[in-house]
Amino acid sequence: MDLMTTTPVLADAAAYAQAVEEAKQAAAAYYAGGTSPLDDDAYDRLGRAVEAWESAHPEQIRADSPTGKVAGGAATGDVPHSRPMLSLDNVFSAEQFTTWAASLERRIGRPVERWSVEPKLDGLAVAARYEQGRPARLITRGDGTAGEDVSHAIGTIAGLPERLTQPLTVEIRGEVLMTTEQFETANSLRVAHGGEPFANPRNAAAGTLRAKDRPYTVEMTFFAYDVLSPSGDPSGDRGDAASEALAGLDDLAHSELIARATALGLHTSGATAVPGRTAAGTDELLDRVAEIAALRAELPFGIDGIVVKADLAADRRDAGAGSRAPRWAVAYKLPAVEKVTKLLGVEWNVGRTGVIAPRAVLEPVEIDGSTVTYATLHNPADITRRDLRLGDHVMVYKAGDIIPRIEAPVAHLRTGEEQPIAFPETCPQCGSEIDRSEQRWRCVRGRDCHLVASLSYAVGRDQLDIEGLGASRIVQLVDAALVTDLADLFTLTREQLLGLERMGETSADNLLAAIDTARARPLSRVLCALGVRGTGRSMSRRIARHFATMDAIRAADAEAMQRVEGIGTEKAPVIVAELAELGPVVDKLVAAGVSMTEPGATPPPPPGAETDASAAAPAGAQAGPLAGLAVVVTGAMTGPLEALSRNQMNELIERAGGRSSSSVSRRTGLVVAGEKAGSKRTKAEELGVRLVDPAEFATLLGDYLPA
């Protein structure tokens, strides 16, 4: 796993001096109020360039250089720390980490017996001092020797309890951050009170922690990563029960200190999807790094890397610390998933259900190995809430396979030339009125607005797969008023088709045969073709396999719909309402002889009729050779699987009891790697996930393969 990012090269002393000034200004802006002209990745790259120059020209190092200083020398404070509160050095690849670890082991004269591996939370380091079990003072890291008193924030930070489980006088060190939800709330309140939105959760936490006398309160979250006695001397000197509880802290492994913090009622990463764990060697450690990196996109808070520490107290003691960072810990930085770029425009696209969706057009920027030129904007209310303007510098976030999104404008970079975003007055597709009653605007004509696109989607290869029905032919049918909805396709006659321009007898007969074949498609294909809001190919398969028949689907209320994997309280009523709205079309499809069952699936028992046996297995579940496995297909299929589309492969996986997935993680059970499989195969090898080629997969499926 090579996470190294390109380091810019400084050409001469003048470029070095300019880089130092830029780094100082960026650090000062961030630590003063949570603003910065640079995103995190750009600041890291600038810092590495300064370090590289200074390494090659030690005689020219400036006294005001941020290198080797806690917080880049930008933060100050007047509350002394009980012990220095240092930063961490960074590595950006497995090779760099291996070199760093070898250096540590040479320093202590032995192999590191055990490593602690935990997520590097993207927030602000603080020290929380408790007296008799109650929070008394909250201090920022500052310059490492003294910090700023931000005790006014006590009571607004989740994870810092009002009372510890023991009445101890103790210092807890950790990270204050904003979760994604807290960030959204913070920016909504900030804009509502006339302020500029924060660019990202990290800046929001930095600015909010220092803010006083606001007319509103914003919650943040604390994660503990260290426990110290109040004087910094863990031996204690009172001889009472409280002192005894703190005795020997310096002799505890880091993992034991985290367990101690948890026992005191403090919030740690142990309660998250990426808990801190120990690793016995470098290989196991790098596996854990890969595991945390794979889960990054799913976390409700930001991480920008993984913190690796020598776990045992003896190793930490013998390694010691430098002026800026401990020598026994390092931050293994992950590739940036957010960058600053410029918002050039907004496109308004109308979906097949009539939803009018804005899309941001961006100045191209490389994020996490790919070039991003578009980002989602969700809806008009989202644009207003974020106070976005054309020409804004915006923070764009991308993680995993998720569509990039704009977090917020970088308001302090505004020049005054930015322009408001114009919202459409009428439907951009057909010119009809717009229904603005919900956050997601919709053309009042609904599906009829985009009938050609809706029908083109419905007859596509992954839905009903009706050969001969291209967009131009569908336009003919709609313009001739022969088709007003999906069901009308199945009542077309030979005479009607022959009346169309450029439609001969052979073409008409072939099209009617293709339509007749489509009547037998499984329910999941029909459901997908209907274009129910909140569903797609994979969700349509889940719904069809859960309920087995269209009658059971239409009879389901929101509570029953939530029993389908991946459908929550918000999506369920939307799907139920959509199906009710589509009722007349479904009735016409049934009358036309279109299949309304899913092969191999079993309908759920009626309410109140569940038995212990039925409760043990979800409706639609079956054994099969892939039972319980998450399966990823990558590369080109060959042999018996060569003719199958990716959607057909996913259908095949789910008929055989598995669950199709698009990304490889520790939870993946099997990867089918065809020709030119690429990065997903590599990732499976790194994680030790079982790999099979198409021929082996076909043998494994046996009778489940299509005839």
Side-chain angles (χ1 to χ4, degrees):
M1 177 189 299
D2 187 358
L3 302 178
M4 185 67 179
T5 55
T6 304
T7 299
V9 177
L10 301 179
D12 50 31
Y16 163 66
Q18 182 179 351
V20 167
E21 286 301 320
E22 288 181 15
K24 285 169 53 185
Q25 291 171 13
Y30 171 69
Y31 285 103
T35 62
S36 171
L38 302 177
D39 57 48
D40 194 42
D41 180 62
Y43 182 75
D44 277 348
R45 293 174 69 246
L46 187 63
R48 293 199 301 276
V50 169
E51 289 178 356
W53 171 270
E54 292 176 346
S55 177
H57 306 85
E59 73 287 352
Q60 298 185 36
I61 296 177
R62 289 170 49 135
D64 61 345
S65 169
T67 304
K69 297 174 183 175
V70 174
T76 59
D78 55 7
V79 182
H81 287 304
S82 56
R83 291 184 186 175
M85 200 169 177
L86 305 179
S87 301
L88 289 175
D89 288 329
N90 298 325
V91 296
F92 297 87
S93 67
E95 292 75 15
Q96 286 188 357
F97 172 77
T98 302
T99 300
W100 175 86
S103 174
L104 170 61
E105 291 178 338
R106 285 195 301 271
R107 176 177 290 275
I108 65 175
R110 60 183 177 274
V112 172
E113 182 179 329
R114 193 169 69 217
W115 299 100
S116 172
V117 191
E118 57 196 15
K120 184 178 183 297
L121 303 166
D122 202 5
L124 246 72
V126 298
R129 294 179 180 175
Y130 276 79
E131 293 180 1
Q132 299 300 308
R134 290 185 176 276
R137 208 167 194 185
L138 193 64
I139 308 161
T140 64
R141 179 166 56 192
D143 63 3
T145 61
E148 178 185 353
D149 192 326
V150 288
S151 301
H152 59 270
I154 293 174
T156 66
I157 303 176
L160 271 178
E162 294 181 4
R163 185 187 290 271
L164 300 178
T165 57
Q166 292 179 274
L168 303 180
T169 298
V170 67
E171 182 174 310
I172 309 296
R173 292 185 174 179
E175 200 86 3
V176 170
L177 54 79
M178 278 190 187
T179 65
T180 303
E181 183 177 353
Q182 288 169 339
F183 172 65
E184 295 287 340
T185 301
N187 266 353
S188 294
L189 287 169
R190 188 171 168 86
V191 171
H193 285 81
E196 301 283 3
F198 284 114
N200 55 30
R202 181 182 62 258
N203 286 8
T208 299
L209 190 65
R210 294 178 172 85
K212 297 179 181 178
D213 303 322
R214 276 184 177 168
Y216 58 93
T217 300
V218 174
E219 186 180 69
M220 295 172 283
T221 299
F222 175 81
F223 287 87
Y225 59 66
D226 203 358
V227 182
L228 285 71
S229 66
S231 65
D233 176 8
S235 62
D237 57 8
R238 297 192 308 274
D240 56 13
S243 179
E244 187 176 325
L246 295 174
L249 287 181
D250 266 0
D251 295 324
L252 294 180
H254 174 73
S255 53
E256 293 171 329
L257 284 171
I258 296 301
R260 181 71 60 90
T262 303
L264 290 173
L266 293 151
H267 196 194
T268 71
S269 65
T272 72
V274 284
R277 294 180 186 164
T278 58
T282 301
D283 289 345
E284 186 179 338
L285 183 152
L286 292 175
D287 283 346
R288 178 61 179 153
V289 167
E291 184 179 353
I292 294 176
L295 293 171
R296 184 185 192 185
E298 304 172 23
L299 299 176
F301 49 79
I303 66 171
D304 59 354
I306 294 92
V307 177
V308 179
K309 302 176 181 177
D311 191 50
L312 299 184
D315 290 343
R316 299 199 305 273
R317 219 171 9 243
D318 291 350
S323 60
R324 191 190 77 92
R327 298 189 180 98
W328 43 265
V330 74
Y332 192 130
K333 297 295 287 287
L334 297 174
V337 292
E338 62 180 19
K339 290 282 189 71
V340 173
T341 188
K342 195 174 239 186
L343 176 61
L344 303 179
V346 175
E347 297 177 349
W348 297 89
N349 302 311
V350 183
R352 63 181 186 275
T353 62
V355 170
I356 301 170
R359 183 174 73 161
V361 181
L362 305 171
E363 192 172 89
V365 60
E366 186 171 322
I367 308 178
D368 198 15
S370 63
T371 300
V372 173
T373 53
Y374 298 100
T376 183
L377 287 173
H378 300 295
N379 53 61
D382 182 66
I383 293 174
T384 300
R385 181 177 57 78
R386 297 179 192 275
D387 189 28
L388 289 168
R389 306 171 195 175
L390 296 179
D392 262 335
H393 286 84
V394 292
M395 186 68 72
V396 181
Y397 181 84
K398 175 179 178 287
D401 296 326
I402 297 175
I403 297 171
R405 69 171 188 264
I406 289 177
E407 289 197 328
V410 186
H412 60 276
L413 295 182
R414 282 178 171 161
T415 63
E417 298 181 1
E418 295 79 14
Q419 298 296 316
I421 294 171
F423 293 174
E425 296 293 329
T426 59
C427 173
Q429 179 71 27
C430 69
S432 299
E433 292 184 8
I434 296 174
D435 178 0
R436 297 177 173 85
S437 61
E438 298 181 7
Q439 284 196 337
R440 298 184 74 189
W441 290 4
R442 195 178 187 188
C443 175
V444 294
R445 293 181 62 196
R447 285 179 173 77
D448 289 343
C449 168
H450 224 279
L451 182 58
V452 171
S454 179
L455 291 174
S456 296
Y457 173 82
V459 303
R461 184 181 182 189
D462 290 335
Q463 287 71 248
L464 294 177
D465 195 13
I466 302 179
E467 190 174 348
L469 262 186
S472 59
R473 187 65 74 194
I474 290 173
V475 169
Q476 280 187 298
L477 293 170
V478 171
D479 288 347
L482 296 177
V483 174
T484 60
D485 59 37
L486 176 61
D488 286 343
L489 292 173
F490 293 92
T491 59
L492 290 170
T493 65
R494 192 170 190 266
E495 290 71 23
Q496 288 173 325
L497 292 177
L498 290 174
L500 298 175
E501 187 178 349
R502 299 185 307 280
M503 176 65 82
E505 293 186 356
T506 300
S507 296
D509 290 340
N510 288 342
L511 179 54
L512 288 172
I515 291 173
D516 193 52
T517 299
R519 295 180 206 273
R521 301 289 183 222
L523 173 60
S524 55
R525 295 286 196 99
V526 177
L527 191 61
C528 191
L530 286 168
V532 178
R533 276 195 294 170
T535 70
R537 290 191 291 267
S538 60
M539 184 57 71
S540 295
R541 289 195 298 271
R542 291 183 205 166
I543 294 172
R545 295 208 62 75
H546 181 90
F547 290 104
T549 69
M550 180 62 85
D551 286 343
I553 294 174
R554 296 174 72 182
D557 58 14
E559 183 179 353
M561 192 62 68
Q562 287 178 49
R563 297 191 184 110
V564 178
E565 180 190 355
I567 297 181
T569 55
E570 293 185 6
K571 186 178 286 188
V574 173
I575 294 174
V576 170
E578 279 280 290
L579 287 165
E581 183 181 327
L582 288 164
V585 177
V586 175
D587 289 339
K588 288 172 66 175
L589 288 169
V590 172
V594 175
S595 172
M596 294 290 162
T597 61
E598 183 71 8
T602 304
E610 290 92 342
T611 64
D612 291 343
S614 65
Q622 62 181 41
L626 303 179
L629 291 179
V631 181
V632 175
V633 178
T634 181
M637 296 297 101
T638 54
L641 308 178
E642 184 174 5
L644 300 182
S645 68
R646 192 52 47 88
N647 187 56
Q648 289 172 317
M649 286 290 293
N650 291 338
E651 289 176 335
L652 186 58
I653 288 165
E654 293 181 18
R655 279 202 303 272
R659 179 172 59 84
S660 59
S661 178
S662 60
S663 59
V664 180
S665 71
R666 287 282 184 185
R667 289 174 284 188
T668 303
L670 183 69
V671 172
V672 184
E675 294 179 353
K676 300 180 180 178
S679 61
K680 291 182 181 180
R681 179 189 185 110
T682 302
K683 191 168 186 179
E685 291 171 341
E686 291 174 349
L687 297 177
V689 175
R690 181 185 175 193
L691 279 162
V692 297
D693 61 28
E696 291 172 308
F697 190 58
T699 302
L700 178 63
L701 292 176
D703 293 339
Y704 285 86
L705 283 176

